[in-house]
């Protein structure tokens, strides 16, 4: 392992648990502990625990912070009351997604946001460039001092109550400051996650993370989960991955895809819950114009066995050489919940029916367009 890699506060805990560590965008993180399939199914049936401390954590503050954030994102923050969470895209003037973010309105004058790990510096700089000139809005980057632990799965609520007490149980997309508990854990908790299961994300000071992790892992229902299963879990539920399902063109070319193929708008991603057109925001005019684009983000379920669909695979409207190219895969792989059948997502010009995924030089796999989630 490269010594130059960043380590989260849970690095030693991962090693003690026998994790296979990998370089993930400059962080040393576990790819798995036992196996991707085992950890995936444990999260779906019981509870999984994830170290997501590589993600960013921003604090936005100011009397007009909700109004300002609404002006720079696709979400109307002014519709959210304290204690609620939401999802938003941030666009450039061409309507292209720079990054997405889960946020929590903690007070009328304060919002907490979670940018993607590779986008912390980019988003911090971009948001700063659009601050009001009167210095009425403050942005604080708390990423380096904050650890984030995700607890996900049908048993997550009972595990959370057993660990931090019933007062700290929060509902889906609800949030609050962590209340007094036997472990004396402090910080922030919200009913969000990246698996599609019920659960929470817990934000604590770095020095508290190992104790909280160990306490959660001591519960019989809990399985530590690595990056591998985190990806298959989000894929089954149809969640976008920043940098893979969309990529701001200012950051460079898409890997294994045609030039600027991942330069997409919110409408092209077909994600309705983060888009509110009732207010004005940066990129709105170009976004609305993009509704004319023939491409939309679609899910695909493989009907035949074959090599798993992967990033960059071409998609055709037929199995033969003369078939038309209708798009490319951005995320794909075998689904542990569907007996390892292939599932995929990508941008297509075809909206329904069967398609064929070029999963190898000699093989196209028959698939059907299916709106996620797949399970």
């Amino acid at each position: 392992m490269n010594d130059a890699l960043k380590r989260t506060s849970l690095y030693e805990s991962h090693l003690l648990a026998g994790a296979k560590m990998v370089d993930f965008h400059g962080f040393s993180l576990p790819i798995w502990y036992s196996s991707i399939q085992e950890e995936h199914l444990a999260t779906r049936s019981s509870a999984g625990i994830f170290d997501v401390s590589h993600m960013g954590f921003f604090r936005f503050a100011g009397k007009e912070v909700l109004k300002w954030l609404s002006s720079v994102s696709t979400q109307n923050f002014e519709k959210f009351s304290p204690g609620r969470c939401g999802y938003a895209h941030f666009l450039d003037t061409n309507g292209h997604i720079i990054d997405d973010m889960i946020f929590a309105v903690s007070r009328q004058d304060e919002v907490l946001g979670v940018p993607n790990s590779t986008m912390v510096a980019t988003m911090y700089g971009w948001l700063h460039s659009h601050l009001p000139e009167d210095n009425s809005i403050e942005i604080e980057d708390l990423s380096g001092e904050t650890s984030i632990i995700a607890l996900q799965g049908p048993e997550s609520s009972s595990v959370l109550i057993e660990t931090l007490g019933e007062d700290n149980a929060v509902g889906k997309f609800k949030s609050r400051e962590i209340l007094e508990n036997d472990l004396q854990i402090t910080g922030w908790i919200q009913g969000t996650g990246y698996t599609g299961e019920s659960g929470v994300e817990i934000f604590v000071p770095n020095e508290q993370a190992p104790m909280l992790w160990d306490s959660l892992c001591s519960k019989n229902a809990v399985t530590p989960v690595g990056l591998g299963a985190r990806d298959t879990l989000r894929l089954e539920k149809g969640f976008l991955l920043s940098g893979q399902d969309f990529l701001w063109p200012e950051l460079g070319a898409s890997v294994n895809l045609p030039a600027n193929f991942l330069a997409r708008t919110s409408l092209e991603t077909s994600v309705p819950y983060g888009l509110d057109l009732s207010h004005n925001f940066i990129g709105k005019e170009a976004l609305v114009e993009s509704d004319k684009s023939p491409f939309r983000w679609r899910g695909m379920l493989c009907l035949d066995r074959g090599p798993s669909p992967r990033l960059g695979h071409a998609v055709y409207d037929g199995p033969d050489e003369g078939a038309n190219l209708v798009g490319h895969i951005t995320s794909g792989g075998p689904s542990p919940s569907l007996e390892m059948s292939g599932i995929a997502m990508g941008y297509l010009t075809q909206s329904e029916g069967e398609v064929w995924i070029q999963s190898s030089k000699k093989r196209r796999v028959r698939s059907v367009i299916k709106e996620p989630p797949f399970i």
Side-chain angles (χ1 to χ4, degrees), residues 277-355:
L277 292 174
S278 68
H279 69 296
N280 291 320
F281 53 87
I282 295 173
K284 180 180 178 179
E285 185 176 344
L287 166 66
V288 172
E289 185 68 19
S290 76
D291 198 32
K292 299 175 183 177
S293 169
F295 284 97
R296 286 295 184 273
W297 195 63
R298 308 289 185 191
M300 288 154 275
L301 173 65
C302 295
L303 300 176
D304 297 334
R305 293 290 180 179
S308 293
R310 298 293 183 186
L311 168 68
H313 286 170
V315 183
Y316 294 88
D317 63 3
D320 303 320
E321 292 259 340
N324 297 306
L325 177 69
V326 296
H328 289 83
I329 301 299
T330 58
S331 288
S335 166
S337 301
L338 297 175
E339 299 181 343
M340 305 306 282
S341 294
I343 57 175
M345 299 180 294
Y347 295 97
L348 307 180
T349 56
Q350 184 172 324
S351 62
E352 59 184 15
E354 290 188 350
V355 291

Side-chain angles (χ1 to χ4, degrees), residues 11 45 63 85 137 159 168 250 254 256 278 287 300:
Y11 177 79
S45 62
K63 184 178 179 180
C85 302
I137 304 296
V159 170
N168 286 308
E250 295 288 329
S254 309
N256 299 326
S278 68
L287 166 66
M300 288 154 275

Side-chain angles (χ1 to χ4, degrees), residues 1 10-11 14-15 19-23 28-33:
M1 184 62 62
L10 296 170
Y11 177 79
H14 299 319
L15 295 184
K20 168 66 174 176
M21 306 297 285
V22 297
D23 177 353
S28 178
L29 289 169
I31 187 72
W32 68 68
Y33 299 84

Side-chain angles (χ1 to χ4, degrees), residues 66-67 69-70 73-80 88 103 274-276 278-279:
L66 299 182
K67 182 178 181 180
L69 280 168
S70 298
S73 83
T74 59
Q75 188 62 269
N76 190 341
F77 284 70
E78 294 185 276
K79 293 184 177 180
F80 288 75
F103 65 88
L275 175 61
D276 186 333
S278 68
H279 69 296

